[in-house]
Amino acid sequence: MSGQEVVRSDISAVSNAERCEITTSSAHGLSTDQFIRVTDLNGMIPVNRGQTQINNQRFKVYVTSTTTFYLRDPITSSYINSTNYTPYVEGGSVNLFQTQYQYEGDS
């Protein structure tokens, strides 16, 4: 049985810059132009994690290394400007957003 491949990486840093860059704590396994969703940055429980503006949003990525990538708009591919976003504190995850699925049903 085939299905969605789970690709999830923990976030270790998010920049406040004209090109929002995410750093992951280990190799993220992403490729440029893949789509991701950023999760677990919201709320005050247990602590405010910052960068709430990108939480639970989909983005296209531009990979800069095995642990870093820029966020881009999923439609226009423009880089996300995070200069005025709340500063990153801690936590969060990056999740590959599958755009294609393979289903192998019963024969």
Side-chain angles (χ1 to χ4, degrees):
M1 184 169 132
S2 294
Q4 184 172 0
E5 176 186 2
V6 177
V7 177
R8 181 181 176 110
S9 298
D10 293 329
I11 297 172
S12 61
V14 181
S15 70
N16 285 92
E18 286 186 26
R19 290 185 177 184
C20 183
E21 184 174 56
I22 290 185
T23 303
T24 56
S25 57
S26 60
H28 50 64
L30 299 171
S31 299
T32 293
D33 292 333
Q34 284 187 305
F35 294 90
I36 56 106
R37 182 184 297 272
V38 177
T39 60
D40 304 322
L41 287 176
N42 61 326
M44 298 289 286
I45 301 173
V47 295
N48 182 357
R49 296 179 175 174
Q51 290 282 351
T52 56
Q53 295 89 342
I54 64 172
N55 188 60
N56 206 29
Q57 300 295 318
R58 286 184 230 169
F59 299 97
K60 190 183 280 190
V61 299
Y62 180 85
V63 174
T64 54
S65 81
T66 59
T67 58
T68 59
F69 56 87
Y70 292 126
L71 296 181
R72 298 179 354 197
D73 183 280
I75 297 170
T76 67
S77 294
S78 299
Y79 289 97
I80 301 301
N81 183 338
S82 61
T83 303
N84 296 318
Y85 291 1
T86 55
Y88 174 78
V89 178
E90 69 176 2
S93 298
V94 172
N95 306 277
L96 178 64
F97 184 80
Q98 298 288 343
T99 56
Q100 297 180 9
Y101 302 94
Q102 180 180 5
Y103 174 74
E104 296 175 9
D106 296 331
S107 299

